């Protein structure tokens, strides 16, 4: 059964190709509660959201509002207490932990606030890591070349053999973006990608992320408080009291 | 593929960045493997040398005809040769001879009849011309291997001096053994001296008898032969003797192997610690990998692959080191075998593939086993909630009582196995390891308890720095408890083995006081100290007894005989009233036992080891193959005796002379009249012996000292192994403290920045590591005593059947506690030194 599950999550999902009209990301009545002492604390309280293919959705909210929890649940890192997460036609909450991991590896790209590069791998190796994990390195030289082309596109083509600790914060985040896009994911999740960067660098990184995702028609959900980013997004939601609230104008968010 | 190549590359780079820890871990595995391999090599080299020499001497012989008292009359052979239809036979006289030409070189002398020899053995290439006339000549002529001749710088016609049981003899080199045609290797022939049978008879002073008759016969022919053999002569399979001898050393070898495994177990703690450290340190990184889609299984295999790498490098080094160490240990093992069991000369070390395979399996296996838990723990690194170190320590603290419970269960399981009615040494050691592991699992809970008590105490004595130092021990419990456990086990092993050896020694001293009551002891030099079968020249015995001032004497004869339970040592003793209370018996009324022994020809006594080995008790019967045929004796009593782990049968001299034709003496004990100084009598005995026979004459005190010297010598190898376990433990503590300090590097820098002086930093390390050493030492004392108890009352009993008195010398316990503290302090400061150096190097780079 496990083997079957693993294979299922590794193979391209025919439904993804066959149901172009279906929303790309569907969250239905999503809840997530954590045990705290004797009781429990609800972080997500019935989140509903649909995102279409290639759409760029921004998410904001106060610290502790549940934004990271939502990203964890969407990416399959965490499992919802109830409700469902469907990505590209695949219902994630029915998958085992291992199947969710394999799905994430294949179909989801992640950009973190603290970059999360592997310090003992070079820049090039960090970018190739998702393909390597999926054991695609022998399968497609073309894909590897394409993955590495992201490194050129983030302007670090000449830093491939450097280790992350000699790069600046902005450079590290650009490598992280190249890595997130290298496996040509269906969905790119970013958790405050500019949070650790100065304004100018943050803006450059944000532009890059937006441009590359749009060019590759990658669906994107970004947790951010960056005004420019919010303006560039197709839709903006605010996480409040464990639920998503659509924000009509960027001004409304900066009250 | 279990691990993606890039992940593996990342791991290797991580290990390279922590090369000190990596090296210590590799050294730990290497030392553990080296000790196991070295002991195995030493044991197997001894075994191979023994098998080789047995095979060479046995040749194609299928059976041997032997006499009851170790020899048989020539007439038996003559009768067989003149009876029609008998299978092929060849006479043989053999024994051992030392040579003054080189100390420590012993020849196995084999006397053969060249005319009957051809079907049995081919020592000389057929094409070579051996001058048979010279070989048969009255001048003693012998053949030795070319290699040995070269080593001794001897050429054809040269004389080879020999020392046989103290009598000087010599042979002329008449030819060389070996050559490719004979199929005999140099190693097999290296210690062989082949002479004509008559020469052998002269050398061993047995004019009308043979040691044995070699036979090549089918089972049917054997039955035919048996029918024509006279009483007191039997036919046995050719392998009987070598099997019995090989059996002798089995328990000795097994105990050495078990001790060598101890070093490996301590090494396992080391690997566990390294892997655990690498996992804890990389938890956030592993969390990142998990977020990127690395599965739990991949994380598990990644950690295991790292351990495998450490295990493989450590094992490889261990094999090389083991071979080197083996060269030293083979000498120690051979010396012990020669002291205790039989004559053995190991000229070369045989490195068997099986030994190397065992080393690889143990090294890699032990590393994987010790990495299993850290690997499992790594898979629990959650991608969303990255565990902090403090959270993990809290988890370990919470787990401590559960671990203690598991430890208690394991310990109880081990204890039950120890008291279970079994004679298996392997089960005993397995039980002992369970107890050790069980005790190790009690360490975390003990550390929490002890540091809780010590913390305020350290604070009041050494201030805040001291309090921090002690608090740091329970604060990093996952790391410190492993280091303390490894040190505790090594120190406990030191105590256990130390108390066992000292108890054994005390028991032997008490026993020697009881049995050595005469004033002077005389014996010919024996090649095997404990066997004492060499014979005094008969004329000397009477001459010595007649010396003025000898008020009484008794003689003893040691021979090897065949019994219903196999080859055994028989000691025939002249009973004197003065010897009445010499022995203590395991059970029964001593007076009644003594009376039966003195008055009944068919009553023998057996030693405790002999009774244990063959499952005999007082009242059982034992059949001995004598010169009068099979005779059944009653076991009148079982006496305490520590002379040999093979044990012996004691028979009254008069009874011996009734059943055996031998009238020889292997030793003589003299009581000196009060008015005659003992030294004068000794001088006179030596004068009497003169050139007739070189004999060993020792006063009571000298013999005791000599016996204890041999005792100490046989335990040298045990001490070497004990020391090696401590070395491995030291590496373990160093590695644990290094990882601990590495983790604290940042904390130290902050503390230094806010004003912690270098002196205070040293005090911090001293308090912390000193306390760790003291805790390990304190816990090691009860465990060590338990270990000693098991070694003395279970393993020693099951291995050798001896009853020993447990003797706890306080100095051993004090030494062990000091050793523990010193090792921990030394490791702590070595770690600090390395870190400071690293810090300076970093500073320069920046």
């Amino acid at each position: 059964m496990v083997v079957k599950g693993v294979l299922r999550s590794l193979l391209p999902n025919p439904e993804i190709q066959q149901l172009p009209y279906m929303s790309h990301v569907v969250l239905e009545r999503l809840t997530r509660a954590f045990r705290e002492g004797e009781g429990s604390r609800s972080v997500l309280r019935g989140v509903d959201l649909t995102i279409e293919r290639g759409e760029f959705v921004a998410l904001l909210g106060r610290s502790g509002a549940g934004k990271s929890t939502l990203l964890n649940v969407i990416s399959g890192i965490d499992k919802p207490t109830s409700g469902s997460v469907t990505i590209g036609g695949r219902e994630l909450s029915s998958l085992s932990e291992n199947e969710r991991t394999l799905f994430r590896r294949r179909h989801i790209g992640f950009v973190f606030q603290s970059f999360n590069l592997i310090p003992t791998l070079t820049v090039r190796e960090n970018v190739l890591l998702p393909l390597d994990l999926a054991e695609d390195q022998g399968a497609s030289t073309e894909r590897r070349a394409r993955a590495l082309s992201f490194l050129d596109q983030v302007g670090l083509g000449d830093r491939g053999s450097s280790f992350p600790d000699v790069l600046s914060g902005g450079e590290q985040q650009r490598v992280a973006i190249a890595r997130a896009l290298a496996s040509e994911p269906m969905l790119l999740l970013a958790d405050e990608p500019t949070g650790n960067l100065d304004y100018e660098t943050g803006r450059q990184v944000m532009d890059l992320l937006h441009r590359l995702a749009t060019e590759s028609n990658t669906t994107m959900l970004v947790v951010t408080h960056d005004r420019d980013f919010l303006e560039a997004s197709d839709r903006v939601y605010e996480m409040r009291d464990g639920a998503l609230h659509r924000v009509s104008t960027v001004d409304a968010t900066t009250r | 593929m279990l691990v993606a190549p890039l992940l593996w590359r990342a791991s290797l780079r991580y290990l390279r960045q922590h090369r000190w820890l990596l090296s210590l871990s590799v050294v730990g595995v290497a030392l553990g493997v080296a000790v196991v391999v070295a002991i195995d090599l030493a044991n197997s080299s001894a075994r191979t040398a023994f098998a080789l020499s047995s095979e060479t001497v046995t040749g194609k012989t299928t059976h041997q005809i032997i006499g009851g008292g170790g020899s048989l009359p020539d007439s038996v052979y003559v009768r067989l040769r003149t009876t029609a239809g008998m299978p092929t036979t060849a006479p043989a006289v053999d024994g051992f001879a030392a040579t003054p030409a080189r100390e420590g070189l012993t020849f196995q002398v084999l006397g053969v009849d060249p005319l009957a020899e051809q079907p049995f053995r081919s020592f000389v290439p057929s094409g070579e011309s051996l001058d048979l006339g010279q070989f048969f000549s009255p001048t003693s002529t012998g053949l030795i291997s070319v290699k040995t001749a070269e080593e001794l710088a001897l050429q054809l016609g040269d004389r080879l001096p020999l020392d046989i049981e103290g009598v000087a003899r010599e042979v002329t080199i008449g030819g060389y053994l070996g050559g490719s045609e004979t199929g005999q290797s140099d190693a097999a022939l290296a210690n062989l001296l082949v002479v004509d049978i008559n020469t052998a008879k002269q050398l061993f002073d047995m004019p009308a008898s043979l040691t044995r008759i070699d036979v090549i016969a089918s089972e049917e022919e054997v039955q035919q032969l048996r029918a024509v053999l006279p009483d007191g002569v039997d036919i046995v399979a050719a392998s009987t003797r070598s099997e019995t001898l090989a059996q002798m050393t089995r328990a000795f070898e097994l105990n050495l192997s078990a001790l060598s495994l101890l070093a490996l177990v301590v090494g396992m703690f080391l690997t566990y610690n390294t892997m655990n450290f690498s996992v804890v340190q990389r938890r956030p990184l592993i969390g990142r990998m998990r977020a990127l889609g690395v599965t739990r299984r991949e994380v598990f295999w990644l950690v295991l692959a790292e351990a495998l790498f450490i295990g493989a490098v450590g094992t490889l080094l261990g094999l090389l080191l083991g071979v080197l160490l083996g060269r030293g240990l083979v000498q120690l093992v051979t010396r012990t075998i020669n002291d205790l069991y039989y004559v053995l000369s190991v000229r070369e070390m045989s490195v068997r593939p099986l030994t190397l395979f065992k080393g690889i399996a143990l090294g890699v296996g032990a590393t994987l086993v010790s990495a299993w838990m850290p690997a499992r723990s790594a898979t629990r690194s959650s991608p969303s909630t990255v565990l902090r170190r403090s959270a993990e320590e809290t988890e370990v603290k919470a787990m401590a009582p559960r671990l203690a419970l598991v430890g208690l269960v394991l310990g109880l399981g081990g204890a039950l196995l120890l008291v279970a009615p079994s004679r298996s040494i392997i089960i005993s050691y397995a039980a002992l390891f369970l107890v050790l592991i069980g005790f190790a699992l009690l360490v975390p809970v003990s550390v929490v308890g002890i540091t809780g008590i010590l913390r305020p105490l350290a604070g009041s004595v050494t201030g805040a720095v001291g309090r921090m130092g002690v608090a740091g021990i329970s604060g990093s419990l996952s790391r410190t408890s492993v280091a303390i456990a490894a040190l505790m086990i090594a120190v406990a092993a030191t105590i256990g083995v130390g108390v066992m050896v000292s108890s054994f020694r005390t028991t032997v001293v008490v026993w020697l006081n009881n049995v050595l009551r005469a004033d002077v002891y005389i014996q010919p030099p024996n090649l095997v100290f404990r066997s004492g079968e060499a014979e005094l020249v008969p004329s000397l015995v009477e001459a010595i007894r007649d010396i003025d001032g000898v008020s009484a004497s008794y003689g003893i004869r040691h021979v090897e005989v065949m019994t219903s339970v196999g080859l055994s040592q028989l000691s025939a003793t002249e009973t004197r009233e003065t010897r009445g209370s010499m022995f203590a018996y395991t059970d029964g009324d001593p007076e009644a036992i003594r009376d039966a022994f003195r008055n009944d020809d068919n009553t023998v006594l057996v030693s405790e080891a002999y009774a244990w080995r063959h499952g005999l008790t007082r009242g059982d019967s034992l059949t001995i193959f004598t010169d009068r045929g099979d005779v059944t004796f009653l076991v009148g009593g079982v006496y305490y005796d520590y002379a040999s782990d093979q044990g012996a049968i004691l028979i009254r001299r008069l009874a011996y002379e009734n059943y055996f034709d031998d009238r020889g003496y292997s030793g003589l004990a003299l009581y000196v009249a009060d008015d005659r100084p003992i030294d004068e009598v000794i001088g006179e005995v030596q004068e009497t012996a003169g050139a007739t026979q070189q004999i060993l004459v020792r006063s009571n005190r000298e013999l005791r000292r000599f016996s204890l010297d041999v005792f100490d010598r046989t335990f040298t190898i045990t001490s070497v192994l004990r020391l090696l376990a401590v070395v491995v433990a030291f590496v373990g503590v160093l590695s644990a403290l290094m990882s601990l300090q590495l983790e604290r590097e940042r904390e130290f820098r902050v503390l230094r920045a806010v004003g912690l002086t270098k002196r205070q930093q040293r005090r911090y390390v001293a308090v912390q590591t000193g306390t760790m050493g003291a805790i390990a030492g304190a816990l090691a004392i009860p465990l060590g005593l338990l270990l000693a108890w098991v070694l003395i009352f279970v393993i020693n009993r099951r291995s050798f059947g001896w009853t020993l008195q447990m003797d706890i010398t306080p100095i051993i316990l004090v030494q062990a506690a000091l050793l523990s503290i010193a090792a921990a302090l030394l490791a702590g400061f070595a770690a600090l030194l390395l870190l400071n150096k690293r810090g300076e190097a970093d500073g320069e780079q920046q």
Side-chain angles (χ1 to χ4, degrees), chain A residues 2 34 72 77-78 97-98 101-102 104-105 108 110 112 114-122 124-126 128-130 132-133 135 137 163 179, chain B residues 1-17 284-285 287-298 382-385:
Chain A
V2 173
F34 292 98
N72 282 343
I77 285 175
D78 208 353
E97 200 278 336
N98 194 51
T101 305
L102 294 174
R104 180 165 68 247
R105 163 196 287 188
I108 298 177
F110 234 125
F112 305 87
S114 52
F115 326 133
N116 281 359
L117 297 179
I118 309 296
T120 47
L121 292 180
T122 62
R124 188 194 316 277
E125 288 165 347
N126 262 290
L128 289 176
L129 184 62
D132 198 54
L133 288 176
E135 295 184 46
Q137 70 276 22
F163 282 93
R179 181 179 66 185
Chain B
M1 200 179 295
L2 293 169
V3 176
L6 277 180
L7 284 184
W8 178 228
R9 200 178 294 174
S11 271
L12 284 181
R13 285 183 188 148
Y14 172 82
L15 291 176
R16 210 163 53 204
Q17 280 172 5
L285 179 67
R288 267 178 239 174
M289 289 180 174
R290 295 273 294 117
L292 289 175
V294 177
T295 61
R296 286 186 200 279
R297 193 179 299 177
E298 283 167 332
S382 161
S384 53
T385 52

